[in-house]
Amino acid sequence: MTKKIITAAQMREIERRAVEEFKIPEDMLMEHAGRAAAERILNDILPHEKEKREKKKIIVISGGGNNGGDGLVCARYLLEEGCSVYCYIVKTGNGYKPLVMKNLKRAFFSHLSVKEI
């Protein structure tokens, strides 16, 4: 299978079209991206046995932008799969994007500890 690498500008255009033309909510795009990242980690990196997986420590460091929101979603899914997740978010002067705030709330209700650094 040939993999195509796209630029950041191309990805922004794909996401813009998904939201504007296909009416896919930005929140749903973020949820799918974070879940896909978690699935990749679970399937390709971590051991498949739950008891071995629980012993692995995973650190997720997120920023205040939308990629940081993807990281929070990923961390939440890893936690739900029994992983030991340590999540940090980098505080910037610009604050957090609205979708990041939404996922910080979801993290709280999922009992995912997120420390601000």
Side-chain angles (χ1 to χ4, degrees):
M1 173 197 262
T2 305
K3 293 184 180 185
K4 182 177 179 182
I5 298 174
I6 61 173
T7 66
Q10 290 171 319
M11 190 69 236
R12 281 191 296 274
E13 178 61 14
I14 291 167
E15 289 177 348
R16 182 197 65 75
R17 289 188 66 205
V19 172
E20 291 178 11
E21 292 178 30
F22 298 102
K23 308 297 184 211
I24 301 171
E26 204 173 1
D27 184 34
M28 185 179 289
L29 293 175
M30 186 174 288
E31 192 71 17
H32 285 288
R35 185 180 61 210
E39 287 174 359
R40 181 72 188 259
I41 292 166
L42 291 165
N43 293 328
D44 297 346
I45 298 172
L46 293 176
H48 293 285
E49 299 83 16
K50 189 171 183 169
E51 51 281 345
K52 287 183 182 177
R53 186 179 284 173
E54 290 171 345
K55 294 179 182 177
K56 299 286 185 182
K57 293 180 182 175
I58 300 169
I59 298 173
V60 176
I61 302 172
S62 296
N66 285 344
N67 286 339
D70 297 337
L72 292 170
V73 173
C74 177
R76 183 168 35 89
Y77 277 102
L78 292 171
L79 181 71
E80 288 173 6
E81 289 295 322
C83 298
S84 296
V85 182
Y86 300 86
C87 195
Y88 300 90
I89 190 162
V90 179
K91 183 179 181 181
T92 63
N94 299 332
Y96 303 126
K97 296 258 185 166
L99 286 177
V100 173
M101 290 301 298
K102 189 174 194 175
N103 279 292
L104 279 169
K105 290 176 186 173
R106 287 180 178 160
F108 174 78
F109 287 111
S110 298
H111 304 287
L112 173 66
S113 174
V114 181
K115 292 190 177 13
E116 191 174 64
I117 55 174

